[in-house]
Amino acid sequence: MEASVEQLVYVREDAYTVARMSADGVPAFVATGRALAGVQPGETLRLLGDWSTHPRYGRRFAVTECERVTPSSVRAIRVYLGSGLIRGIGPRLAYAIVDHFGEHTLKVIDAEPERLTEVVNIGPLRQAQIVQAWQEQKAIAALMVTLQGLGVSPLLATKIYQVFGADADEVLATDPYRLIGRVRGVAFRVADRIALQAGVPERSPQRVRAALLDRLEAAGSRDGHCFVPVPALVREAAELIEQDHELVRPVVDALAAERRLVLETSPDRPEQVVAYPKHVHSRETALTAQLAALCRARSTLPLRSYDEDPALHDDQRAAVTMALTSTVSIITGGPGCGKSHTVKAVAATVRAAGGSVTLTAPTGKAAKRLSELTGMPAMTVHRMLAQQPDPDPETLFDERPSQADLVVVDEASMLDLHLATRLTAAVRPGSHLLLIGDADQLPSIGAGDVLADLLRVPAIPRVHLTHVFRQADGSGIVDAAHRVRAGRLPGLPGGGGFWFEELDDPAQVARRVAHLAMVAIPRKQGVPPGQVQVLCPMRKGETGATALGRLIQDQLNPAADDKPEHWSGATVFRVGDRVMPIRNNYDKGVFNGETGTVTAVVREERAIDIRTDDGETVRYGFDELDDLTHAYAISVHRSQGSEYPFVVAPIVAESGGIMLRRKLLYTLVTRAKAWVVLVGQREALELAVHRLGHPRNTGLPRRLTLALSS
């Protein structure tokens, strides 16, 4: 039958789609199946399939084949143009265009687009915009057909077109491996499937090179490693393409000769050779040189003497002295040990002497919390780096934040190699760089483990704060955190803000976590559900952030006929949704970890509007929605640098509990200010407490130790 898509009801990550449809002579019905992948409201489809009756959802049409067709009736054309598929055309303009051209509308847009200016409110600029959008939609639709024929999800078509544009077909035909790392959602296996279908031989050097580079980059993005031992790299690449090691090993040397990767002696095992991605090696060597220069520089701090604050604890006074006398230094410590109060004392001393101070943190929430705890302005590291120096030499350093007399970086465990390299390049030699952090928390999402690495360099001064202050003594959260850090199980079921509720079945755990977050805790504490944050050790699985987030979204902000929404792949964005960016966007002024609420779906502009928690309105195009995630349930990694009044988390050994490690559990527990409730399996909790995880492969400690000793 031929039918029009009225609304998407559900899209699964494997592209299984449920859609409400309408067709002439047939009552409105529901169609289902993977063949519907990528369809959008307003499109007309030719469907092949079978009618069936679901015991819960009733009569539906199971689609086995789906072909997009050009709408032919005036009504179908009006719905198609008014659906938001073509940027620049909204419902009102769609009505005007169809009213003018009738059933010939789409032929006019395709073959005689200059005639669009005959319609009121369409000038040359709008006409050009509509034509461009029309051509893009045609290209994406054709790309979907190509991908479906290759056995690849059509949901990737838009993403591929965004990156490669009109060259997308050529890339798919000649070098599909270019998709890896450039198109979100395309891993090696997807690109390899396309390449093999396109005729690339299984033993071709092109395929081997792609496998090696993929495994090398994955070691950084997946596990945070800066390098991989060559034997391990060869083994992993050979397993990936199911070929022998002898085919792979020579290609490593060829890539090194082309400077696509760098080979070096292992910093820990002199008999072993390791491979770095070129950009990672450049950053590690640059960071080493920059830190060595900062350490050796003569202090320019305008401070001749200072009075010790008797209100500080002994280790806090030692930390203040260190920060004021060392150009690079580190203060570490767990929750409740007075790190922020120590920072406040250091900053106040420098300012009292006439010096300038910049307080920073890697995320917006961490910077805001630092400002609240110290009573002084703070900014993200990214904002600091984005502010260019004023050309006026008379300008105070406060106007050039990266070149202040004292630069403080809180939550320094979140600094990856890339950000740390940019940061140290911006700090003026002679300024004091003070890193504040908790090395027992999760390391950065990106490659490197900068804070832990610097703590392995003996020449860098550090103070570890250990005294837990009285106001934290009665906190069950602080007590549980210190127990976890020491490798001991917290007292169960808990008390004083820390609670563990034992459940075994993952499905039950997911439902209980959702109920606690949406109903039980808000009711008991008299707070809105937005005050309760669900944190998940994993992204996938029944208790992962994706499934739990969708469960909570469907109950807190369900679909409604009067509520605008837009599906982007398997994710639906509705007015009222809580969302957060997962990438920094300097043009929009939003940064990773900030949160906001969807306030509008602007179909005519193919965009959604978000009101940030700071009160700013930001617009994201439909083609930018990969940069957003829902904030109903997020990974523990995404929560770094943030604190929430109430935290609920599933603790389940799904998929072997691969993410359950001590640092992850410790980070999770320390995100809560009032309550943290863990729900799940006791054996999974014990696994998380006792499993240490693997250290990251980095060369920074050895490089910097050698540089500072020479």
Side-chain angles (χ1 to χ4, degrees), residues 148-170:
Q148 209 153 17
L150 294 170
V152 176
S153 171
L155 296 179
L156 294 171
T158 301
K159 299 177 184 179
I160 293 172
Y161 187 83
Q162 286 168 10
V163 175
F164 294 102
D167 296 329
D169 282 319
E170 183 182 351

Side-chain angles (χ1 to χ4, degrees), residues 150 172-173 176 192-202 204 206:
L150 294 170
L172 290 176
D192 194 45
R193 188 183 310 147
I194 297 171
L196 293 175
Q197 293 247 15
V200 174
E202 289 188 358
S204 72
Q206 178 190 21

Side-chain angles (χ1 to χ4, degrees), residues 10 55 67 173 208 215 285 306 389 402 415 483 534 544:
Y10 180 77
E67 177 189 354
V208 177
R215 290 300 82 198
T285 53
Y306 59 93
S402 66
L415 289 176
R483 283 173 176 264
V534 174

Side-chain angles (χ1 to χ4, degrees), residues 387-564:
Q387 294 188 23
Q388 298 299 318
D390 193 300
D392 182 358
E394 298 300 319
T395 300
L396 294 175
F397 285 133
D398 281 330
E399 301 299 321
R400 306 166 68 183
S402 66
Q403 298 193 18
D405 295 305
L406 171 67
V407 177
V408 179
V409 183
D410 196 17
E411 297 286 356
S413 61
M414 298 176 65
L415 289 176
D416 63 11
L417 186 65
H418 172 63
L419 187 55
T421 304
R422 292 186 60 209
L423 168 69
T424 54
V427 175
R428 174 173 53 87
S431 297
H432 285 223
L433 175 63
L434 174 60
L435 304 178
I436 314 292
D438 188 343
D440 293 309
Q441 287 191 22
L442 283 170
S444 58
I445 294 176
D449 196 357
V450 175
L451 180 63
D453 283 351
L454 296 186
L455 290 170
R456 292 169 57 195
V457 179
I460 294 183
R462 80 288 310 274
V463 170
H464 181 61
L465 303 178
T466 57
H467 178 74
V468 179
F469 287 87
R470 216 172 312 166
Q471 63 266 29
D473 285 345
S475 168
I477 295 173
V478 172
D479 178 68
H482 284 284
R483 283 173 176 264
V484 169
R485 187 173 61 176
R488 294 185 290 128
L489 202 65
L492 303 180
F498 172 85
W499 299 94
F500 176 71
E501 186 173 320
E502 190 166 358
L503 280 176
D504 187 62
D505 178 56
Q508 286 185 324
V509 171
R511 289 194 294 270
R512 180 58 177 162
V513 166
H515 178 76
L516 284 166
M518 293 185 297
V519 180
I521 293 177
R523 181 186 296 157
K524 184 175 182 64
Q525 295 298 312
V527 298
Q531 294 286 300
V532 186
Q533 182 62 56
V534 174
L535 300 182
C536 301
M538 300 187 69
R539 190 177 67 83
K540 297 183 178 179
E542 282 186 283
T543 60
T546 300
L548 260 172
R550 176 169 278 187
L551 175 63
I552 296 171
Q553 179 196 27
D554 286 345
Q555 295 187 49
L556 284 184
N557 192 30
D561 291 340
D562 60 347
K563 187 183 295 180

Side-chain angles (χ1 to χ4, degrees), residues 111-385:
E112 303 176 273
E114 66 279 357
R115 290 189 60 196
L116 284 170
T117 55
E118 297 173 13
V119 180
V120 177
N121 291 330
I122 297 183
L125 197 61
R126 176 69 65 89
Q127 183 257 358
Q129 183 185 34
I130 292 171
V131 170
Q132 181 182 352
W134 171 263
Q135 296 300 332
E136 286 177 357
Q137 285 303 313
K138 284 178 61 179
I140 291 170
L143 205 54
M144 284 182 174
V145 174
T146 300
L147 291 175
Q148 209 153 17
L150 294 170
V152 176
S153 171
L155 296 179
L156 294 171
T158 301
K159 299 177 184 179
I160 293 172
Y161 187 83
Q162 286 168 10
V163 175
F164 294 102
D167 296 329
D169 282 319
E170 183 182 351
V171 170
L172 290 176
T174 60
D175 191 4
Y177 298 112
R178 288 176 61 192
L179 303 175
I180 303 170
R182 298 188 64 187
V183 178
R184 187 173 172 83
V186 177
F188 176 85
R189 292 191 185 281
V190 173
D192 194 45
R193 188 183 310 147
I194 297 171
L196 293 175
Q197 293 247 15
V200 174
E202 289 188 358
R203 294 176 62 85
S204 72
Q206 178 190 21
R207 185 170 185 243
V208 177
R209 290 160 62 92
L212 281 166
L213 292 174
D214 174 77
R215 290 300 82 198
L216 194 55
E217 290 292 342
S221 59
R222 181 193 62 205
D223 299 320
H225 295 311
C226 292
F227 65 77
V228 180
V230 168
L233 178 62
V234 170
R235 182 182 68 251
E236 288 187 18
E239 290 173 356
L240 187 63
I241 58 176
E242 299 180 340
Q243 300 295 326
D244 52 79
H245 293 196
E246 289 71 24
L247 177 69
V248 176
R249 183 61 183 88
V251 181
V252 175
D253 294 325
L255 288 170
E258 298 169 17
R259 297 289 294 171
R260 298 291 302 279
L261 57 82
V262 178
L263 299 180
E264 268 193 3
T265 301
S266 168
D268 304 312
R269 298 175 58 184
E271 76 282 1
Q272 191 176 68
V273 176
V274 301
Y276 279 85
K278 181 184 176 183
H279 63 94
V280 174
H281 185 268
S282 298
R283 288 170 186 159
E284 192 175 271
T285 53
L287 179 58
T288 300
Q290 288 157 197
L291 279 169
L294 292 176
C295 288
R296 291 196 186 104
R298 178 178 294 180
S299 172
T300 58
L301 202 65
L303 188 69
R304 297 294 170 261
S305 63
Y306 59 93
D307 297 324
E308 291 191 347
D309 185 348
L312 297 177
H313 190 266
D314 289 347
D315 55 5
Q316 288 180 302
R317 285 198 294 272
V320 172
T321 300
M322 173 194 68
L324 296 175
T325 56
S326 304
T327 51
V328 177
S329 59
I330 304 170
I331 298 176
T332 66
C337 289
K339 295 191 296 294
S340 298
H341 194 67
T342 306
V343 170
K344 184 176 181 179
V346 174
T349 303
V350 172
R351 283 187 169 161
S356 54
V357 177
T358 296
L359 303 184
T360 71
T363 67
K365 282 197 172 182
K368 186 176 181 180
R369 188 158 56 92
L370 177 63
S371 180
E372 291 169 351
L373 291 170
T374 61
M376 301 178 184
M379 66 179 72
T380 65
V381 175
H382 300 91
R383 287 189 190 277
M384 179 188 77
L385 295 173

